Amino acid sequence: MLEDNYKQRGLRNKLVKKLRQKGITDEAVLAAIGKVPRHVFFDDALLAHAYEDKAFPIGEGQTISQPYTVAFQSEKLEVKPGQKVLEIGTGSGYQAAILLELGAKVYTIEFNRKLYEKTKAFLPSFGYNPYFFYGDGSKGIPAKAPFDKIIVTAGAPVIPSALTDQLTEKGILIIPVGDRESQKMLKIHKNAGKLLKEEFNQFAFVPLLGEGGWTSKD
Ligand code: SAM
């Protein structure tokens, strides 16, 4: 369903209005949400829900994040055109598309092989071309570091040190940290080697797996 008609554009405009009401103010982020066709990420059975402000299943027990969450994380990331951004948890590719609309050079890594294959084949078909990686993103991508910004789209038990290590000197990491059910959104600024932490509201993400995330023993 790659077609984007006036009805879908209208629903997207309504979604943007709702995000403004919920406190999103970054015009570039709002414009990106207004531009990326979210319905193309949905199976036919769920199509009618594509522009609701809700998370939805994308297969493999994973979800496409709620638009408010995507907008919130994107706003806090303060992306400037041309910056190198690492996304951990490619999932459907929707967040990666938003980051590309913000002008970032996007590296995205997914730990679920099927989702990685699916999104890598699908996302470029409508013009979004991040660099796709398969593997444990809790370790970052050392070979491609440093990154100006890192966004984690799964809930972590702690802040993986590999990620703060892979930030540039003025870099920002945005990551939900907490238990398996709910996490506090954290924003870590690196400044002259020091890490400054800001805390925001609670969110509910699927767990970050791997070495810096939840292991099956947890
Ligand atoms: N950003 C996605 C989107 O726009 O659709 C939503 C991501 S979904 C909430 C979280 C994703 O993180 C899942 O696809 C999951 O497989 C992935 N994930 C979990 N642990 C990971 C890890 N250690 N490295 C990379 N991806 C991971």
Side-chain angles (χ1 to χ4, degrees):
M1 216 327 185
L2 289 174
E3 183 202 353
D4 188 31
N5 63 27
Y6 78 95
K7 187 175 164 214
Q8 281 131 1
R9 285 194 292 274
L11 290 171
R12 267 204 307 285
N13 289 339
K14 272 195 184 156
L15 175 61
V16 168
K17 212 169 156 188
K18 183 172 274 175
L19 296 178
R20 275 187 203 283
Q21 285 163 357
K22 288 185 161 183
I24 303 296
T25 57
D26 185 320
E27 290 301 329
V29 169
L30 291 165
I33 301 264
K35 198 154 171 211
V36 177
R38 194 165 187 262
H39 62 278
V40 302
F41 297 86
F42 282 65
D43 290 339
D44 284 350
L46 290 172
L47 209 53
H49 304 287
Y51 293 104
E52 290 173 14
D53 189 22
K54 287 185 187 157
F56 276 97
I58 51 169
E60 297 297 307
Q62 300 301 335
T63 52
I64 178 170
S65 300
Q66 184 182 346
Y68 174 73
T69 305
V70 172
F72 188 88
Q73 286 196 288
S74 303
E75 181 168 89
K76 296 298 174 219
L77 213 54
E78 299 176 27
V79 177
K80 308 281 179 302
Q83 286 187 330
K84 236 173 115 180
V85 178
L86 170 62
E87 179 198 20
I88 293 149
T90 309
S92 69
Y94 178 69
Q95 173 74 71
I98 296 289
L99 294 169
L100 288 164
E101 284 292 349
L102 292 172
K105 193 173 168 188
V106 181
Y107 296 73
T108 183
I109 181 164
E110 173 57 55
F111 209 11
N112 179 297
R113 171 68 82 171
K114 278 196 191 150
L115 274 181
Y116 159 77
E117 301 283 0
K118 186 176 168 192
T119 302
K120 190 179 176 209
F122 172 68
L123 202 58
S125 71
F126 58 106
Y128 292 112
N129 289 290
Y131 299 104
F132 291 99
F133 294 81
Y134 165 68
D136 178 5
S138 72
K139 297 191 280 191
I141 311 180
K144 302 293 175 190
F147 299 96
D148 298 302
K149 308 284 161 71
I150 301 180
I151 171 171
V152 181
T153 67
V158 291
I159 302 167
S161 57
L163 300 185
T164 48
D165 289 348
Q166 289 174 40
L167 280 177
T168 57
E169 263 319 300
K170 294 266 179 196
I172 293 176
L173 163 68
I174 179 103
I175 178 168
V177 175
D179 57 33
R180 278 177 176 265
E181 280 70 45
S182 104
Q183 308 86 23
K184 194 171 264 185
M185 193 66 77
L186 304 183
K187 178 174 176 175
I188 313 296
H189 305 243
K190 206 178 207 180
N191 201 341
K194 289 213 175 100
L195 298 175
L196 307 170
K197 189 166 92 180
E198 256 184 279
E199 296 189 357
F200 299 97
N201 293 348
Q202 295 289 130
F203 288 81
F205 283 82
V206 295
L208 179 74
L209 304 176
E211 210 169 285
W214 297 95
T215 65
S216 49
K217 294 195 289 322
D218 296 313

